[in-house]
Amino acid sequence: MLEGVMLFLFLAVMVQFFTGVLASGFIVVVSAIDLITHRKMAPLDLLLSCLATSRIILQMCVFLVQLSLLYLVKYSLFVDNITFVLFINELNLWLATWLGVFYCAKIATIPHPFFLWLKMRISRLVPWLILGSVFCSTITAIIHSRETTTIPKQTFTSFFSKNATQFGQINATLLSVFILGLTLPLLIFIVAILLLISSLCNHSWQMKTMVGARESNRYSIISAMLSILLFLFLYFSHYMIVVLMSTQGFQFGRASFQVGMLVFGICLSLHSIVLILGNPKLKQNAKMFIVHCKCCHCEKAWIISRAVPATHHSATKT
């Protein structure tokens, strides 16, 4: 029974990992091809490629932890590099936050001077926002490495220890510093997403009352709202799981931690897929890639089917 559960968890971990890496890698490849073709990269593509790259690295870190829980690698590899994991996790949250702000600035219509200023300059601000995210994440990681290293080490060591019920006491002030670095991008993200949803709702209501408004436009708005709500749900789930882990919320041993890490990895993978489906260019390239794979498979099957009768005929003739 235990071997069956371990096998199921291993397969779930592998599917979650490769799905997330392939989806994020697809975003990076498409952006790289555009950069090579046009010798420049659009601000949105730059932001998406940076987010996808950080997500691939974070997926690898999660995969390492999951293998540790399955006793396939030593957990000390993760604990010893916890500062880097904190850096890449916070960078991922900041980049996802700025992606939400970018969509809000480009799509929403809010008659406010600051919003109009942001709408006109958001594209030029994208490189600075990315650099600012790297800077903030680096500063936070340095603070953690010097003063709050005991928070992640105590937490993760206790999860992997044989006696998972014995937890060290974590200083509340140090834990507050740790969570603050995660909460600030969350608040910015929530404000941007709520403003975007409010704007889309107002636009949908105006189209509903407008004579001759196309139903397809309303459906596209509803589809966009659903994608945004899913984006918000995955982002908040990412935040909550990290907070629960840092505050030792999963205090019932390895099983709860295993489930938390699995859900965390699934959130990362699903969000990369949502980004592809919500971006027209990425979605179109994904369709072309799938069609190309199907054509290659059909061509290979046709060649094999032609080769088999020929081989059978020559063997019969002999």
Side-chain angles (χ1 to χ4, degrees):
M1 181 65 181
L2 183 59
E3 293 181 355
V5 173
M6 295 291 286
L7 179 61
F8 172 78
L9 289 175
F10 178 75
L11 293 177
V13 165
M14 296 300 292
V15 171
Q16 160 252 301
F17 172 71
F18 283 108
T19 301
V21 170
L22 288 175
S24 299
F26 178 80
I27 296 174
V28 175
V29 169
V30 171
S31 300
I33 292 175
D34 283 348
L35 177 62
I36 296 172
T37 304
H38 302 100
R39 295 183 179 181
K40 64 178 182 179
M41 185 178 291
L44 178 58
D45 294 339
L46 176 61
L47 189 55
L48 284 172
S49 60
C50 290
L51 176 59
T53 303
S54 68
R55 187 149 291 168
I56 291 174
I57 300 173
L58 187 58
Q59 284 274 13
M60 292 180 178
C61 296
V62 173
F63 185 61
L64 178 62
V65 179
Q66 291 168 331
L67 292 181
S68 301
L69 289 168
L70 296 173
Y71 303 102
L72 298 177
V73 297
K74 295 181 178 180
Y75 73 85
S76 58
L77 294 175
F78 177 77
V79 176
D80 293 340
N81 297 282
I82 189 64
T83 300
F84 175 75
V85 177
L86 292 174
F87 165 79
I88 201 67
N89 178 71
E90 186 166 340
L91 177 62
N92 190 272
L93 286 175
W94 274 114
L95 293 175
T97 297
W98 298 133
L99 181 62
V101 172
F102 185 92
Y103 282 138
C104 178
K106 286 295 184 179
I107 299 175
T109 53
I110 301 174
H112 191 276
F114 174 77
F115 186 83
L116 295 175
W117 175 88
L118 183 63
K119 194 179 190 69
M120 296 294 295
R121 292 170 174 80
I122 186 64
S123 297
R124 285 179 287 179
L125 289 175
V126 166
W128 296 105
L129 293 175
I130 295 173
L131 291 176
S133 301
V134 174
F135 178 76
C136 291
S137 302
T138 302
I139 294 298
T140 305
I142 291 174
I143 294 174
H144 288 156
S145 64
R146 291 183 178 181
E147 300 182 14
T148 65
T149 310
T150 56
I151 293 177
K153 281 195 174 182
Q154 286 181 8
T155 302
F156 288 101
T157 301
S158 62
F159 282 128
F160 289 110
S161 63
K162 294 181 180 180
N163 189 1
T165 59
Q166 294 181 357
F167 295 95
Q169 295 296 324
I170 296 178
N171 187 283
T173 304
L174 298 180
L175 186 59
S176 300
V177 173
F178 173 69
I179 296 179
L180 180 62
L182 304 175
T183 305
L184 182 58
L186 172 70
L187 295 177
I188 299 174
F189 178 81
I190 290 177
V191 171
I193 292 300
L194 291 180
L195 289 175
L196 179 55
I197 292 175
S198 176
S199 178
L200 288 175
C201 288
N202 292 334
H203 185 62
S204 177
W205 177 256
Q206 291 175 1
M207 293 189 64
K208 185 177 180 180
T209 57
M210 188 182 302
V211 178
R214 295 183 179 180
E215 289 293 326
S216 59
N217 292 334
R218 290 187 57 205
Y219 288 142
S220 63
I221 293 176
I222 295 174
S223 177
M225 289 180 62
L226 291 176
S227 298
I228 293 168
L229 289 174
L230 182 57
F231 188 6
L232 176 61
F233 173 77
L234 294 174
Y235 187 105
F236 188 73
S237 299
H238 179 166
Y239 169 83
M240 286 303 302
I241 291 173
V242 174
V243 170
L244 285 173
M245 289 179 181
S246 62
T247 57
Q248 301 176 347
F250 299 122
Q251 56 184 348
F252 299 104
R254 297 191 187 97
S256 58
F257 188 70
Q258 176 85 47
V259 173
M261 292 304 300
L262 186 60
V263 173
F264 184 74
I266 291 174
C267 287
L268 295 176
S269 302
L270 284 179
H271 185 231
S272 298
I273 296 174
V274 170
L275 290 179
I276 294 174
L277 297 178
N279 187 290
K281 183 175 68 175
L282 292 175
K283 187 176 181 180
Q284 181 65 27
N285 279 277
K287 289 181 179 179
M288 292 173 59
F289 177 75
I290 294 173
V291 171
H292 178 72
C293 290
K294 287 184 177 179
C295 291
C296 291
H297 178 74
C298 293
E299 184 178 356
K300 184 178 179 180
W302 182 80
I303 293 174
I304 294 174
S305 63
R306 296 284 296 177
V308 170
T311 305
H312 177 72
H313 176 72
S314 45
T316 306
K317 187 175 181 180
T318 302

PDB file of all heavy atoms in Angstrom, residues 50-78:
ATOM      1  N   CYS A  50      10.981  36.744 -18.540  1.00  0.00           N
ATOM      2  CA  CYS A  50      11.648  36.792 -17.229  1.00  0.00           C
ATOM      3  C   CYS A  50      10.859  35.990 -16.195  1.00  0.00           C
ATOM      4  O   CYS A  50      11.441  35.246 -15.388  1.00  0.00           O
ATOM      5  CB  CYS A  50      11.814  38.229 -16.774  1.00  0.00           C
ATOM      6  SG  CYS A  50      13.020  39.180 -17.730  1.00  0.00           S
ATOM      7  N   LEU A  51       9.534  36.140 -16.212  1.00  0.00           N
ATOM      8  CA  LEU A  51       8.693  35.388 -15.283  1.00  0.00           C
ATOM      9  C   LEU A  51       8.802  33.893 -15.553  1.00  0.00           C
ATOM     10  O   LEU A  51       8.917  33.085 -14.612  1.00  0.00           O
ATOM     11  CB  LEU A  51       7.243  35.847 -15.409  1.00  0.00           C
ATOM     12  CG  LEU A  51       6.203  35.090 -14.570  1.00  0.00           C
ATOM     13  CD1 LEU A  51       6.527  35.186 -13.087  1.00  0.00           C
ATOM     14  CD2 LEU A  51       4.801  35.609 -14.852  1.00  0.00           C
ATOM     15  N   ALA A  52       8.785  33.502 -16.831  1.00  0.00           N
ATOM     16  CA  ALA A  52       8.876  32.083 -17.178  1.00  0.00           C
ATOM     17  C   ALA A  52      10.238  31.502 -16.781  1.00  0.00           C
ATOM     18  O   ALA A  52      10.322  30.367 -16.305  1.00  0.00           O
ATOM     19  CB  ALA A  52       8.640  31.897 -18.676  1.00  0.00           C
ATOM     20  N   THR A  53      11.305  32.285 -16.964  1.00  0.00           N
ATOM     21  CA  THR A  53      12.637  31.811 -16.587  1.00  0.00           C
ATOM     22  C   THR A  53      12.739  31.590 -15.082  1.00  0.00           C
ATOM     23  O   THR A  53      13.246  30.557 -14.616  1.00  0.00           O
ATOM     24  CB  THR A  53      13.705  32.808 -17.034  1.00  0.00           C
ATOM     25  OG1 THR A  53      13.613  33.012 -18.458  1.00  0.00           O
ATOM     26  CG2 THR A  53      15.105  32.303 -16.697  1.00  0.00           C
ATOM     27  N   SER A  54      12.263  32.571 -14.305  1.00  0.00           N
ATOM     28  CA  SER A  54      12.283  32.414 -12.848  1.00  0.00           C
ATOM     29  C   SER A  54      11.400  31.260 -12.407  1.00  0.00           C
ATOM     30  O   SER A  54      11.699  30.559 -11.437  1.00  0.00           O
ATOM     31  CB  SER A  54      11.834  33.716 -12.176  1.00  0.00           C
ATOM     32  OG  SER A  54      10.461  33.975 -12.424  1.00  0.00           O
ATOM     33  N   ARG A  55      10.322  31.036 -13.143  1.00  0.00           N
ATOM     34  CA  ARG A  55       9.420  29.942 -12.785  1.00  0.00           C
ATOM     35  C   ARG A  55      10.051  28.582 -13.054  1.00  0.00           C
ATOM     36  O   ARG A  55       9.830  27.623 -12.289  1.00  0.00           O
ATOM     37  CB  ARG A  55       8.118  30.094 -13.559  1.00  0.00           C
ATOM     38  CG  ARG A  55       7.048  29.131 -13.145  1.00  0.00           C
ATOM     39  CD  ARG A  55       5.699  29.746 -13.331  1.00  0.00           C
ATOM     40  NE  ARG A  55       5.460  30.829 -12.388  1.00  0.00           N
ATOM     41  CZ  ARG A  55       4.439  31.679 -12.488  1.00  0.00           C
ATOM     42  NH1 ARG A  55       3.579  31.565 -13.479  1.00  0.00           N
ATOM     43  NH2 ARG A  55       4.275  32.627 -11.604  1.00  0.00           N
ATOM     44  N   ILE A  56      10.838  28.475 -14.120  1.00  0.00           N
ATOM     45  CA  ILE A  56      11.539  27.218 -14.394  1.00  0.00           C
ATOM     46  C   ILE A  56      12.503  26.898 -13.256  1.00  0.00           C
ATOM     47  O   ILE A  56      12.569  25.761 -12.775  1.00  0.00           O
ATOM     48  CB  ILE A  56      12.291  27.309 -15.737  1.00  0.00           C
ATOM     49  CG1 ILE A  56      11.296  27.347 -16.904  1.00  0.00           C
ATOM     50  CG2 ILE A  56      13.237  26.117 -15.909  1.00  0.00           C
ATOM     51  CD1 ILE A  56      11.950  27.590 -18.245  1.00  0.00           C
ATOM     52  N   ILE A  57      13.247  27.915 -12.806  1.00  0.00           N
ATOM     53  CA  ILE A  57      14.189  27.702 -11.705  1.00  0.00           C
ATOM     54  C   ILE A  57      13.448  27.324 -10.430  1.00  0.00           C
ATOM     55  O   ILE A  57      13.861  26.413  -9.690  1.00  0.00           O
ATOM     56  CB  ILE A  57      15.040  28.963 -11.486  1.00  0.00           C
ATOM     57  CG1 ILE A  57      15.841  29.298 -12.757  1.00  0.00           C
ATOM     58  CG2 ILE A  57      15.992  28.783 -10.317  1.00  0.00           C
ATOM     59  CD1 ILE A  57      16.579  30.616 -12.686  1.00  0.00           C
ATOM     60  N   LEU A  58      12.321  28.010 -10.162  1.00  0.00           N
ATOM     61  CA  LEU A  58      11.546  27.699  -8.966  1.00  0.00           C
ATOM     62  C   LEU A  58      10.948  26.299  -9.045  1.00  0.00           C
ATOM     63  O   LEU A  58      10.882  25.582  -8.039  1.00  0.00           O
ATOM     64  CB  LEU A  58      10.442  28.744  -8.780  1.00  0.00           C
ATOM     65  CG  LEU A  58       9.629  28.670  -7.481  1.00  0.00           C
ATOM     66  CD1 LEU A  58      10.540  28.776  -6.266  1.00  0.00           C
ATOM     67  CD2 LEU A  58       8.571  29.767  -7.451  1.00  0.00           C
ATOM     68  N   GLN A  59      10.511  25.900 -10.241  1.00  0.00           N
ATOM     69  CA  GLN A  59       9.999  24.534 -10.419  1.00  0.00           C
ATOM     70  C   GLN A  59      11.081  23.512 -10.115  1.00  0.00           C
ATOM     71  O   GLN A  59      10.802  22.457  -9.515  1.00  0.00           O
ATOM     72  CB  GLN A  59       9.505  24.349 -11.863  1.00  0.00           C
ATOM     73  CG  GLN A  59       8.178  24.994 -12.170  1.00  0.00           C
ATOM     74  CD  GLN A  59       7.004  24.090 -11.824  1.00  0.00           C
ATOM     75  OE1 GLN A  59       7.158  23.087 -11.141  1.00  0.00           O
ATOM     76  NE2 GLN A  59       5.817  24.459 -12.278  1.00  0.00           N
ATOM     77  N   MET A  60      12.312  23.798 -10.504  1.00  0.00           N
ATOM     78  CA  MET A  60      13.409  22.877 -10.210  1.00  0.00           C
ATOM     79  C   MET A  60      13.658  22.782  -8.713  1.00  0.00           C
ATOM     80  O   MET A  60      13.937  21.693  -8.186  1.00  0.00           O
ATOM     81  CB  MET A  60      14.675  23.332 -10.938  1.00  0.00           C
ATOM     82  CG  MET A  60      14.597  23.199 -12.439  1.00  0.00           C
ATOM     83  SD  MET A  60      16.119  23.753 -13.259  1.00  0.00           S
ATOM     84  CE  MET A  60      15.709  23.394 -14.976  1.00  0.00           C
ATOM     85  N   CYS A  61      13.549  23.910  -8.010  1.00  0.00           N
ATOM     86  CA  CYS A  61      13.719  23.899  -6.549  1.00  0.00           C
ATOM     87  C   CYS A  61      12.620  23.076  -5.883  1.00  0.00           C
ATOM     88  O   CYS A  61      12.886  22.277  -4.969  1.00  0.00           O
ATOM     89  CB  CYS A  61      13.712  25.326  -6.003  1.00  0.00           C
ATOM     90  SG  CYS A  61      15.093  26.361  -6.560  1.00  0.00           S
ATOM     91  N   VAL A  62      11.385  23.265  -6.343  1.00  0.00           N
ATOM     92  CA  VAL A  62      10.260  22.490  -5.802  1.00  0.00           C
ATOM     93  C   VAL A  62      10.452  21.006  -6.097  1.00  0.00           C
ATOM     94  O   VAL A  62      10.195  20.142  -5.244  1.00  0.00           O
ATOM     95  CB  VAL A  62       8.928  22.997  -6.398  1.00  0.00           C
ATOM     96  CG1 VAL A  62       7.767  22.099  -5.986  1.00  0.00           C
ATOM     97  CG2 VAL A  62       8.660  24.430  -5.953  1.00  0.00           C
ATOM     98  N   PHE A  63      10.916  20.707  -7.296  1.00  0.00           N
ATOM     99  CA  PHE A  63      11.162  19.319  -7.687  1.00  0.00           C
ATOM    100  C   PHE A  63      12.220  18.679  -6.798  1.00  0.00           C
ATOM    101  O   PHE A  63      12.107  17.504  -6.409  1.00  0.00           O
ATOM    102  CB  PHE A  63      11.591  19.285  -9.151  1.00  0.00           C
ATOM    103  CG  PHE A  63      11.766  17.905  -9.711  1.00  0.00           C
ATOM    104  CD1 PHE A  63      10.692  17.020  -9.759  1.00  0.00           C
ATOM    105  CD2 PHE A  63      12.990  17.493 -10.199  1.00  0.00           C
ATOM    106  CE1 PHE A  63      10.851  15.751 -10.282  1.00  0.00           C
ATOM    107  CE2 PHE A  63      13.153  16.224 -10.717  1.00  0.00           C
ATOM    108  CZ  PHE A  63      12.075  15.347 -10.765  1.00  0.00           C
ATOM    109  N   LEU A  64      13.244  19.443  -6.443  1.00  0.00           N
ATOM    110  CA  LEU A  64      14.292  18.944  -5.559  1.00  0.00           C
ATOM    111  C   LEU A  64      13.734  18.611  -4.176  1.00  0.00           C
ATOM    112  O   LEU A  64      14.062  17.570  -3.584  1.00  0.00           O
ATOM    113  CB  LEU A  64      15.412  19.982  -5.440  1.00  0.00           C
ATOM    114  CG  LEU A  64      16.580  19.634  -4.517  1.00  0.00           C
ATOM    115  CD1 LEU A  64      17.306  18.393  -5.024  1.00  0.00           C
ATOM    116  CD2 LEU A  64      17.548  20.811  -4.422  1.00  0.00           C
ATOM    117  N   VAL A  65      12.856  19.485  -3.670  1.00  0.00           N
ATOM    118  CA  VAL A  65      12.229  19.226  -2.366  1.00  0.00           C
ATOM    119  C   VAL A  65      11.350  17.979  -2.439  1.00  0.00           C
ATOM    120  O   VAL A  65      11.353  17.134  -1.531  1.00  0.00           O
ATOM    121  CB  VAL A  65      11.400  20.438  -1.909  1.00  0.00           C
ATOM    122  CG1 VAL A  65      10.739  20.160  -0.578  1.00  0.00           C
ATOM    123  CG2 VAL A  65      12.271  21.670  -1.807  1.00  0.00           C
ATOM    124  N   GLN A  66      10.586  17.855  -3.514  1.00  0.00           N
ATOM    125  CA  GLN A  66       9.698  16.702  -3.643  1.00  0.00           C
ATOM    126  C   GLN A  66      10.482  15.396  -3.741  1.00  0.00           C
ATOM    127  O   GLN A  66      10.074  14.374  -3.180  1.00  0.00           O
ATOM    128  CB  GLN A  66       8.798  16.891  -4.873  1.00  0.00           C
ATOM    129  CG  GLN A  66       7.786  18.006  -4.701  1.00  0.00           C
ATOM    130  CD  GLN A  66       7.100  18.375  -6.001  1.00  0.00           C
ATOM    131  OE1 GLN A  66       7.666  18.241  -7.080  1.00  0.00           O
ATOM    132  NE2 GLN A  66       5.859  18.854  -5.900  1.00  0.00           N
ATOM    133  N   LEU A  67      11.612  15.419  -4.433  1.00  0.00           N
ATOM    134  CA  LEU A  67      12.461  14.234  -4.475  1.00  0.00           C
ATOM    135  C   LEU A  67      13.053  13.933  -3.103  1.00  0.00           C
ATOM    136  O   LEU A  67      13.252  12.772  -2.740  1.00  0.00           O
ATOM    137  CB  LEU A  67      13.578  14.423  -5.505  1.00  0.00           C
ATOM    138  CG  LEU A  67      13.153  14.475  -6.977  1.00  0.00           C
ATOM    139  CD1 LEU A  67      14.376  14.631  -7.870  1.00  0.00           C
ATOM    140  CD2 LEU A  67      12.365  13.233  -7.373  1.00  0.00           C
ATOM    141  N   SER A  68      13.320  14.987  -2.335  1.00  0.00           N
ATOM    142  CA  SER A  68      13.826  14.790  -0.976  1.00  0.00           C
ATOM    143  C   SER A  68      12.783  14.099  -0.107  1.00  0.00           C
ATOM    144  O   SER A  68      13.110  13.230   0.704  1.00  0.00           O
ATOM    145  CB  SER A  68      14.212  16.137  -0.354  1.00  0.00           C
ATOM    146  OG  SER A  68      15.206  16.793  -1.120  1.00  0.00           O
ATOM    147  N   LEU A  69      11.523  14.480  -0.276  1.00  0.00           N
ATOM    148  CA  LEU A  69      10.457  13.861   0.499  1.00  0.00           C
ATOM    149  C   LEU A  69      10.250  12.396   0.115  1.00  0.00           C
ATOM    150  O   LEU A  69       9.752  11.606   0.921  1.00  0.00           O
ATOM    151  CB  LEU A  69       9.149  14.633   0.299  1.00  0.00           C
ATOM    152  CG  LEU A  69       9.105  16.020   0.948  1.00  0.00           C
ATOM    153  CD1 LEU A  69       7.907  16.795   0.442  1.00  0.00           C
ATOM    154  CD2 LEU A  69       9.056  15.904   2.453  1.00  0.00           C
ATOM    155  N   LEU A  70      10.632  12.058  -1.112  1.00  0.00           N
ATOM    156  CA  LEU A  70      10.544  10.669  -1.557  1.00  0.00           C
ATOM    157  C   LEU A  70      11.842   9.905  -1.302  1.00  0.00           C
ATOM    158  O   LEU A  70      12.009   8.784  -1.789  1.00  0.00           O
ATOM    159  CB  LEU A  70      10.203  10.623  -3.054  1.00  0.00           C
ATOM    160  CG  LEU A  70       8.828  11.197  -3.437  1.00  0.00           C
ATOM    161  CD1 LEU A  70       8.673  11.256  -4.943  1.00  0.00           C
ATOM    162  CD2 LEU A  70       7.714  10.375  -2.818  1.00  0.00           C
ATOM    163  N   TYR A  71      12.765  10.544  -0.570  1.00  0.00           N
ATOM    164  CA  TYR A  71      14.046   9.940  -0.180  1.00  0.00           C
ATOM    165  C   TYR A  71      14.924   9.608  -1.388  1.00  0.00           C
ATOM    166  O   TYR A  71      15.703   8.652  -1.355  1.00  0.00           O
ATOM    167  CB  TYR A  71      13.809   8.661   0.650  1.00  0.00           C
ATOM    168  CG  TYR A  71      12.975   8.889   1.870  1.00  0.00           C
ATOM    169  CD1 TYR A  71      11.626   8.536   1.885  1.00  0.00           C
ATOM    170  CD2 TYR A  71      13.512   9.476   3.003  1.00  0.00           C
ATOM    171  CE1 TYR A  71      10.840   8.738   3.008  1.00  0.00           C
ATOM    172  CE2 TYR A  71      12.732   9.696   4.140  1.00  0.00           C
ATOM    173  CZ  TYR A  71      11.401   9.322   4.133  1.00  0.00           C
ATOM    174  OH  TYR A  71      10.636   9.541   5.237  1.00  0.00           O
ATOM    175  N   LEU A  72      14.792  10.387  -2.464  1.00  0.00           N
ATOM    176  CA  LEU A  72      15.615  10.158  -3.653  1.00  0.00           C
ATOM    177  C   LEU A  72      16.851  11.040  -3.664  1.00  0.00           C
ATOM    178  O   LEU A  72      17.819  10.719  -4.344  1.00  0.00           O
ATOM    179  CB  LEU A  72      14.777  10.395  -4.917  1.00  0.00           C
ATOM    180  CG  LEU A  72      13.570   9.461  -5.075  1.00  0.00           C
ATOM    181  CD1 LEU A  72      12.767   9.819  -6.318  1.00  0.00           C
ATOM    182  CD2 LEU A  72      14.021   8.004  -5.138  1.00  0.00           C
ATOM    183  N   VAL A  73      16.810  12.170  -2.962  1.00  0.00           N
ATOM    184  CA  VAL A  73      17.987  13.033  -2.804  1.00  0.00           C
ATOM    185  C   VAL A  73      18.026  13.496  -1.354  1.00  0.00           C
ATOM    186  O   VAL A  73      17.038  13.388  -0.615  1.00  0.00           O
ATOM    187  CB  VAL A  73      17.940  14.261  -3.755  1.00  0.00           C
ATOM    188  CG1 VAL A  73      17.956  13.844  -5.202  1.00  0.00           C
ATOM    189  CG2 VAL A  73      16.717  15.120  -3.461  1.00  0.00           C
ATOM    190  N   LYS A  74      19.169  14.034  -0.941  1.00  0.00           N
ATOM    191  CA  LYS A  74      19.315  14.511   0.432  1.00  0.00           C
ATOM    192  C   LYS A  74      18.638  15.864   0.607  1.00  0.00           C
ATOM    193  O   LYS A  74      18.809  16.759  -0.233  1.00  0.00           O
ATOM    194  CB  LYS A  74      20.793  14.623   0.798  1.00  0.00           C
ATOM    195  CG  LYS A  74      21.516  13.282   0.827  1.00  0.00           C
ATOM    196  CD  LYS A  74      22.975  13.479   1.232  1.00  0.00           C
ATOM    197  CE  LYS A  74      23.697  12.137   1.308  1.00  0.00           C
ATOM    198  NZ  LYS A  74      25.119  12.306   1.698  1.00  0.00           N
ATOM    199  N   TYR A  75      17.873  16.024   1.672  1.00  0.00           N
ATOM    200  CA  TYR A  75      17.175  17.291   1.907  1.00  0.00           C
ATOM    201  C   TYR A  75      18.130  18.419   2.231  1.00  0.00           C
ATOM    202  O   TYR A  75      17.796  19.598   2.113  1.00  0.00           O
ATOM    203  CB  TYR A  75      16.155  17.142   3.029  1.00  0.00           C
ATOM    204  CG  TYR A  75      16.727  17.045   4.419  1.00  0.00           C
ATOM    205  CD1 TYR A  75      17.038  18.176   5.159  1.00  0.00           C
ATOM    206  CD2 TYR A  75      16.961  15.804   5.007  1.00  0.00           C
ATOM    207  CE1 TYR A  75      17.552  18.091   6.434  1.00  0.00           C
ATOM    208  CE2 TYR A  75      17.478  15.711   6.279  1.00  0.00           C
ATOM    209  CZ  TYR A  75      17.769  16.850   6.990  1.00  0.00           C
ATOM    210  OH  TYR A  75      18.289  16.773   8.248  1.00  0.00           O
ATOM    211  N   SER A  76      19.359  18.089   2.647  1.00  0.00           N
ATOM    212  CA  SER A  76      20.333  19.132   2.974  1.00  0.00           C
ATOM    213  C   SER A  76      20.684  19.981   1.758  1.00  0.00           C
ATOM    214  O   SER A  76      21.089  21.139   1.900  1.00  0.00           O
ATOM    215  CB  SER A  76      21.597  18.507   3.562  1.00  0.00           C
ATOM    216  OG  SER A  76      22.165  17.579   2.646  1.00  0.00           O
ATOM    217  N   LEU A  77      20.530  19.425   0.561  1.00  0.00           N
ATOM    218  CA  LEU A  77      20.797  20.200  -0.652  1.00  0.00           C
ATOM    219  C   LEU A  77      19.865  21.400  -0.737  1.00  0.00           C
ATOM    220  O   LEU A  77      20.253  22.470  -1.205  1.00  0.00           O
ATOM    221  CB  LEU A  77      20.628  19.306  -1.889  1.00  0.00           C
ATOM    222  CG  LEU A  77      21.630  18.167  -2.057  1.00  0.00           C
ATOM    223  CD1 LEU A  77      21.249  17.309  -3.261  1.00  0.00           C
ATOM    224  CD2 LEU A  77      23.037  18.738  -2.230  1.00  0.00           C
ATOM    225  N   PHE A  78      18.621  21.208  -0.288  1.00  0.00           N
ATOM    226  CA  PHE A  78      17.660  22.298  -0.316  1.00  0.00           C
ATOM    227  C   PHE A  78      17.882  23.276   0.833  1.00  0.00           C
ATOM    228  O   PHE A  78      17.867  24.488   0.652  1.00  0.00           O
ATOM    229  CB  PHE A  78      16.238  21.732  -0.261  1.00  0.00           C
ATOM    230  CG  PHE A  78      15.168  22.772  -0.224  1.00  0.00           C
ATOM    231  CD1 PHE A  78      14.811  23.448  -1.370  1.00  0.00           C
ATOM    232  CD2 PHE A  78      14.518  23.089   0.956  1.00  0.00           C
ATOM    233  CE1 PHE A  78      13.824  24.421  -1.343  1.00  0.00           C
ATOM    234  CE2 PHE A  78      13.536  24.048   0.991  1.00  0.00           C
ATOM    235  CZ  PHE A  78      13.183  24.711  -0.161  1.00  0.00           C
TER     236      PHE A  78
END
